[in-house]
Structures are given as C-alpha cells and as structure tokens.
Amino acid sequence: QPNCQCRTGAEHGGQSPVVPHRHLPRQPKPKILDTILDHVGETPLVRLHKIPATEGVQCEVLVKAEFFNPGGSVKDRIAKRMFEEAERNGTIKPGDTIIEPTSGNTGIGLALCAAVKGYRAIITMPEKMSQEKVDVLKALGAEIVRTPTEAAYDAPESHISVAKRLNAQIPNSMILDQYANIYNPVAHYDATAEEILDACGGRIDMLVAGAGTGGTISGIARKIKERVPDCTVVGVDPHGSILAQPESLNTSHGSYQTEGIGYDFIPDVLDRSLVDEWQKSDDQESFTMARRLIKEEGLLCGGSSGSALASALKAAKRLQPGQRCVVILPDSVRNYMTKFLNDGWMRDHHFLDAKAQREEQHTIQ
Ligand code: PMP
C-alpha cells in the first residue's frame, strides 16, 4: 500500500508514523457460513421516519444498525480483524490466551472469536459495565476481571493496567490492544465505510458516530473523506470525557452511565484531525433517545446509539431536504435489559423525562 495514509492517529505532537498494514477488499457473504464469524459486517442501513420529523430535521437520516453483528455490536468487526491479522503474522495460535481491557463489546467480540477458534479469553472491564455483558462473556467461556470504574487509565488498578500485568504473568498470552491496533480503524476503513458508501451510492453529507477508542469514527471518516471530501464528520463524546475538541467543550470530568463512549485519555487509534465537529452528549438525552429508537422506529439499540442520534439531530438541523446524514448505532439493548430499558432503573437515576413519566403512569395494569 505505497500511498496508504492510514495511521493509528494524529495525536502526541503531530502525525504518528504510518504503521505497516494491509487492506482487504469487502468480502462477499457466503450463503452457507463456515462459522458465525462469517456473519460479521454487512449490517443494514435503515431510514428513520418519525424521530427526525418530530425533531424538525429535514434531511434524510439513515442509521447503520451494528447490533445485527453476531456478538451484538460494532466491535465484532475489529475483534475478528485483529484476531485474523495476528494469526496471519504468527503472533497468536489456537491454545494461546487473549487478554483485553474493554468496556465489554470488544470483549464479547473477542470471546466469540476465541470460542470459535479455540483460544482462552480474559477480559478486564470496569465495574460500571452491565451485568448483561458479564453474563454473555461468561457464557462464551471468557474469564472476567472487574476493575474500579473511577481508576484513571494509568492507575495500577485500571482495566488497562490489570490487563498488562496479566499479560506479563501468563505465558503465551497477548493483548491485541484495541486502543493502538491499526486494524481497529482499518476494519472500519475497509468494510464499514465501504458498506455505507456503496449503499448510499457515494451520496452522504454528514456522518455521526460516538467515540470510545475512536476506531469506528477514524476508520469510517478516513475512507469517506477520501471519496466525499465535503462530507461533515461529527464525533460524539459524553460529558465527563475529554475526547472532544476544542478543549473548552470538556467542562466536566465526572462519571456518566452511558457505556462504550468517552475516555480520560486520547487513544492512539482516535485521529481527531478527521473529525470536523464534536457534540457533547449526556445520559438523559442518550437513554431517552435510545428508548425512542426502540419505541418509534423498532430499532433495539443500546444507550450510545441514543447519544449518537441525539447529537446527529442537533447537527443535521442545518442540512437541507435531499441531503443525507448517516448515524452509527453501535450495540444492542440486550446489553442493558436491567439498565435503561427498565423503567425503575430510569426512575431511580432520574432519567425519565416528564413525557416518559406520564406514559409510565398510564401503563395498563
Ligand atoms: N458504543 C458502544 C456501546 C461501544 O461499546 C463502543 C466501543 N467502545 C463505542 C460506542 C465506540 O466505538 P469505538 O471504540 O470504535 O470508538
């Protein structure tokens, strides 16, 4: 790839060096799948109807429903790709141990790959992440280490530090490292972005995605900017996180309930030079919008999908009829059945808005 500009990021005082890597063409899906891993990607792009109309958004709003991946999230894409590339270059082989610090979905993707391919998986995950994720990880045969949510990323008890320590202790173990692995953004550059561009016939005016590692937004944005330079890329970062720019947007450093987006450090794979504008999101609007996506559009998504759409609707207000905004919905409500899907949990956390409270009271007993 002599002209390839993919980098892990543009942080740390300028452009990081181009890391050697390869690209793959979009893979056609066979009719009979050899394993469930062949079902990763090629997710539906779905038009929204009711929500944009009621919010006064005139452009077309399309969502990429990543919860149709076999592990239930967008992170299956990078788990599969990081696994395949490490196997290909001989750094891992069946029987080895994969260790990964994650907010859960990368863990589920890796545990799925590990189960199918015959590896041991150890997942380190902050306490904040849902019991539903823990139960799915366990069911896939992964071992789980919970770490304190409030630990700074570089504290010895953080999910990242604990993973590093286990890696040093366990023979034949490997951290694929979604925060720095070039195949995190490249999985999205090669596949997710191609799928979107193909479905849209190359006509896309705005892309909106939340950022955790930043692999999703960086990989998709890099490809879309090459093909459609005028497309605006909007990043979504929760209040309490520091990923957004300008720095003045990041006013609070508290905790938040939305899982999978935001960090207290800038991951290497997040290339903020590809993001044209950032929107800050909060828990209440995220969970309210995720519940609306389920109720009004039938899309059984997770909380960060609500963050992405709530922010998208604000940014897309300035687009005209005939223009098009694409929003990434990263995971499924399956991860949050006892959290935002549950009225009691919403009430206990003061996330039910007045309309939702009225509706709850009108529930037929
Ligand atoms: N939403 C959810 C629910 C996630 O698990 C993640 C992954 N951390 C993201 C959004 C953000 O994806 P990325 O890491 O590619 O920025």
Side-chain angles (χ1 to χ4, degrees), residues 77-138:
R77 294 175 180 271
I78 71 150
K80 181 182 175 201
R81 187 71 188 269
M82 293 193 308
F83 235 109
E84 283 175 356
E85 297 294 342
E87 281 187 323
R88 183 170 179 268
N89 69 25
T91 41
I92 56 170
K93 57 182 183 323
D96 287 354
T97 301
I98 295 299
I99 305 170
E100 189 75 12
T102 146
S103 63
N105 282 322
T106 301
I108 292 171
L110 288 173
L112 192 74
C113 293
V116 171
K117 291 169 174 285
Y119 290 74
R120 178 184 179 201
I122 302 177
I123 303 304
T124 63
M125 190 164 81
E127 291 285 354
K128 167 178 140 179
M129 310 311 167
S130 72
Q131 187 61 36
E132 289 86 330
K133 288 176 179 166
V134 174
D135 290 340
V136 171
L137 282 166
K138 276 196 191 146

Side-chain angles (χ1 to χ4, degrees), residues 6-53:
C6 293
R7 298 160 195 273
T8 48
E11 302 294 333
H12 315 301
Q15 289 267 304
S16 56
V18 175
V19 188
H21 61 277
R22 64 173 185 150
H23 288 283
L24 289 177
R26 197 172 154 199
Q27 307 280 338
K29 198 172 274 187
K31 291 221 166 90
I32 295 178
L33 308 181
D34 187 38
T35 74
I36 193 61
L37 301 181
D38 289 338
H39 193 56
V40 172
E42 301 294 331
T43 53
L45 190 64
V46 186
R47 185 174 295 121
L48 296 190
H49 294 275
K50 300 193 190 88
I51 299 177

Side-chain angles (χ1 to χ4, degrees), residues 219-242:
I220 300 176
R222 184 177 295 284
K223 172 69 66 66
I224 286 186
K225 296 246 167 196
E226 284 171 11
R227 300 265 184 86
V228 191
D230 290 339
C231 179
T232 303
V233 173
V234 179
V236 181
D237 184 44
H239 285 294
S241 164
I242 61 148

